[in-house]
Amino acid sequence: MKINKPNQDNAIQDKSKTDRKQTDGSHMIELHNIIKRFYIGQPNELEILHGIDLTVSQGEFVSIVGESGSGKSTLMNIIGALDRPTQGSYFLRGIDVCHAKDKQLSEIRNQEIGFVFQTYNLVARTTALSNVELPMLYAGVSKSERTKRAKELLESVGMESRMLHKPEELSGGQKQRVAIARAMANNPSIILADEPTGALDSKTGRLIMDIFHRLNREEGKTIILITHSAELAKETGRIITLMDGCITNNGKECTPC
């Protein structure tokens, strides 16, 4: 089904013209020499990411795989503009994320990236419909338009009969479908999914993965799947393996630390 995109000004494009660099345009995401350190009391520091180089092209479906402690969550937070690297550069569609102001980072998270988390992160006191409307509310979309689009999105993930239910009245799979609809609210370029099937049974997990495949195939969404599951990773077009803060396999060649 065709879903209307909310009619809103693209604040990111307008405000980031001075933050753009010349690229060949083939990569949506470009990470160069990303290092992330956490200070644990002077003079001590802990380095989690050790010089990450990574590019993701528009329309790719990639997975980032690694054991606990490999740096997956840290890398995800940087890709999602939730955290800044200690060193290195990150360009998202030509926008210099590392030097963006806090307000612009908020706009990037709201409009360019749709987040899907293992724990759903739905607002407990509101309905499924209101949860999906929320990103559009922050983006300044009118009430009538955001309600119309939220209903369309919930219908697209098979939740049209549960849109007035609160999260506590939904199963895990239903919550995750609402979370995917919410992630699509502002028609983002990228879906960043962190262990999206980790809390679900295999049948429900299959349903969620099928939705991601459809979004990638039919709508051309760039999808980055963060997972520890080798089986799920095999469904993606490219597997990026993290170990001890280094990329040991970027899906093209093995480059040990």
Side-chain angles (χ1 to χ4, degrees):
M1 97 180 251
K2 183 178 179 181
I3 299 174
N4 295 322
K5 180 176 179 178
N7 181 20
Q8 62 192 68
D9 294 332
N10 193 331
I12 295 174
Q13 292 182 358
D14 291 342
K15 296 183 180 181
S16 63
K17 291 178 180 177
T18 58
D19 294 328
R20 293 182 180 273
K21 69 168 187 175
Q22 294 297 318
T23 66
D24 59 13
S26 62
H27 297 133
M28 177 168 285
I29 290 172
E30 298 181 36
L31 301 173
H32 301 290
N33 193 35
I34 294 294
I35 293 172
K36 181 61 180 179
R37 302 186 187 99
F38 293 96
Y39 292 90
I40 53 177
Q42 291 188 350
N44 299 318
E45 61 182 18
L46 179 64
E47 187 168 294
I48 303 298
L49 299 178
H50 315 299
I52 298 292
D53 290 308
L54 175 65
T55 59
V56 178
S57 298
Q58 183 170 348
E60 271 199 279
F61 191 167
V62 305
S63 54
I64 298 177
V65 182
E67 299 296 329
S68 178
S70 63
K72 295 195 310 298
S73 295
T74 302
L75 180 57
M76 180 202 73
N77 287 340
I78 290 173
I79 293 174
L82 296 168
D83 197 6
R84 298 179 190 262
T86 306
Q87 182 178 319
S89 62
Y90 171 25
F91 290 87
L92 172 60
R93 295 181 67 187
I95 300 170
D96 185 348
V97 176
C98 293
H99 293 94
K101 303 295 185 181
D102 288 344
K103 183 178 180 181
Q104 189 180 8
L105 289 178
S106 295
E107 291 167 349
I108 289 171
R109 291 190 293 267
N110 180 255
Q111 298 179 31
E112 293 286 353
I113 304 171
F115 295 91
V116 180
F117 299 100
Q118 179 178 348
T119 53
Y120 323 122
N121 287 14
L122 300 178
V123 180
R125 66 182 182 275
T126 64
T127 64
L129 183 66
S130 295
N131 267 280
V132 178
E133 286 186 48
L134 195 58
M136 292 181 279
L137 174 64
Y138 293 149
V141 179
S142 69
K143 172 62 177 176
S144 60
E145 189 171 352
R146 65 177 185 258
T147 298
K148 180 177 182 291
R149 178 166 169 80
K151 287 179 178 179
E152 292 174 342
L153 287 166
L154 286 167
E155 182 180 349
S156 75
V157 297
M159 288 295 292
E160 61 272 17
S161 66
R162 308 286 286 177
M163 63 178 62
L164 297 181
H165 291 254
K166 294 181 180 180
E168 64 184 16
E169 301 170 313
L170 303 175
S171 68
Q174 290 171 335
K175 291 176 186 176
Q176 197 61 293
R177 281 186 279 166
V178 173
I180 293 172
R182 181 185 59 186
M184 291 294 296
N186 288 325
N187 199 18
S189 306
I190 300 163
I191 300 294
L192 188 58
D194 182 22
E195 300 284 5
T197 66
L200 306 175
D201 61 76
S202 58
K203 182 179 179 180
T204 307
R206 176 71 269 153
L207 175 63
I208 297 304
M209 286 300 294
D210 287 345
I211 292 174
F212 285 131
H213 282 294
R214 176 170 58 81
L215 290 172
N216 176 249
R217 182 180 61 253
E218 297 180 7
E219 300 191 27
K221 297 300 179 186
T222 302
I223 299 180
I224 301 174
L225 175 70
I226 312 295
T227 183
H228 68 275
S229 170
E231 290 302 312
L232 287 184
K234 288 177 183 177
E235 295 190 26
T236 67
R238 178 157 60 108
I239 300 174
I240 299 157
T241 306
L242 269 182
M243 181 180 293
D244 298 328
C246 294
I247 290 180
T248 60
N249 185 0
N250 66 9
K252 297 178 181 178
E253 60 182 359
C254 185
T255 308
C257 296

